[in-house]
Amino acid sequence: MDEKTNNYIKPLALLVITAIFSVLATVFDRRAIGPDNTVVGFASLNGAFAGRFGYNSLFDTISDLAMVIAFAVVASFAILGVYRLIREKSFSKVGKVIIGLGILYVVVAVIYVIFDKIPINYRPVLQPGETELETSYPSTHTLIICSVLGSGLLAWKRLIKNPKVLKVLNIAAIAVIVVGVAARMLAGVHWLTDIMAGILFSLTLISFYAAWIAD
């Protein structure tokens, strides 16, 4: 087995695990435990978790801020990509690191659209100002925060030569991931498996990105 093929074993394994988890969420222990009798997979696990947390606007706001930071990171890489494209006048010379990030961001958007159109779970609560429940699987905040900042950690390692700047960015990114995911969980707007799915999808995408830039 050559090195290139070996690089993709982990992401493919994660993809299978994520797919199996998503299928199980549609069939395993699926009961009407949500608002308006909406059905949820892993009902015993999700019900026990949801029962400990009500809606918390502070944690909801914190998770929103974490996602804003993630969007700022997306914007910074997009600006860098456009700058390189204008300077080099060649798409191929933009570099695999930046091109790979662009592909990853598109896949994240596609995942969002797919699960918005094919709902697996609806949220356990109505947020202020809402009149109907939103889809919640996977947690979009978790997916975006982890995917963007997780891939950012790999990209910065390739792009930034100053070790002090790299260290600061890495610490900040990890802190935002931890705080953002924890806040999303404590905000009470998702079932536990929504958060878990967001993490699984993110790990899968980051692993594919790592394999892409390692080629």
Side-chain angles (χ1 to χ4, degrees):
M1 184 181 296
D2 59 31
E3 184 177 354
K4 182 176 180 180
T5 302
N6 191 54
N7 288 339
Y8 284 93
I9 291 177
K10 180 180 177 181
L12 287 171
L14 281 168
L15 179 61
V16 171
I17 292 170
T18 304
I20 291 173
F21 184 81
S22 295
V23 170
L24 287 175
T26 68
V27 296
F28 179 75
D29 190 19
R30 195 163 174 82
R31 291 184 278 123
I33 63 170
D36 299 330
N37 290 320
T38 51
V39 294
V40 179
F42 295 97
S44 297
L45 173 65
N46 281 318
F49 177 81
R52 295 177 179 272
F53 303 100
Y55 173 69
N56 187 298
S57 61
L58 175 60
F59 286 123
D60 193 13
T61 300
I62 291 173
S63 66
D64 285 343
L65 290 174
M67 190 157 73
V68 168
I69 293 172
F71 281 129
V73 171
V74 171
S76 69
F77 282 122
I79 291 169
L80 177 59
V82 171
Y83 168 75
R84 284 189 171 186
L85 182 60
I86 293 173
R87 185 186 65 185
E88 302 294 341
K89 297 181 174 61
S90 170
F91 183 75
S92 62
K93 291 183 179 180
V94 171
K96 292 187 72 172
V97 172
I98 301 299
I99 293 173
L101 287 175
I103 295 171
L104 184 148
Y105 298 155
V106 170
V107 174
V108 168
V110 170
I111 291 172
Y112 170 78
V113 171
I114 289 174
F115 285 99
D116 185 56
K117 301 299 181 183
I118 308 174
I120 290 180
N121 290 340
Y122 287 95
R123 289 188 174 180
V125 294
L126 272 173
Q127 291 180 256
E130 292 182 344
T131 56
E132 59 182 29
L133 292 167
E134 293 185 8
T135 57
S136 67
Y137 183 100
S139 163
T140 304
H141 281 66
T142 303
L143 173 63
I144 292 174
I145 292 167
C146 293
S147 296
V148 170
L149 294 172
S151 59
L153 290 169
L154 299 177
W156 289 326
K157 186 176 181 180
R158 296 290 186 109
L159 299 172
I160 297 175
K161 306 304 179 183
N162 188 314
K164 291 183 179 179
V165 173
L166 182 60
K167 183 177 181 180
V168 170
L169 285 173
N170 287 345
I171 292 173
I174 292 170
V176 172
I177 290 172
V178 172
V179 171
V181 173
R184 201 61 186 164
M185 190 177 298
L186 296 173
V189 295
H190 283 287
W191 303 102
L192 178 59
T193 51
D194 299 336
I195 304 292
M196 294 169 63
I199 294 172
L200 280 173
F201 275 102
S202 301
L203 288 174
T204 302
L205 293 176
I206 293 167
S207 293
F208 272 108
Y209 177 67
W212 164 273
I213 62 177
D215 288 346

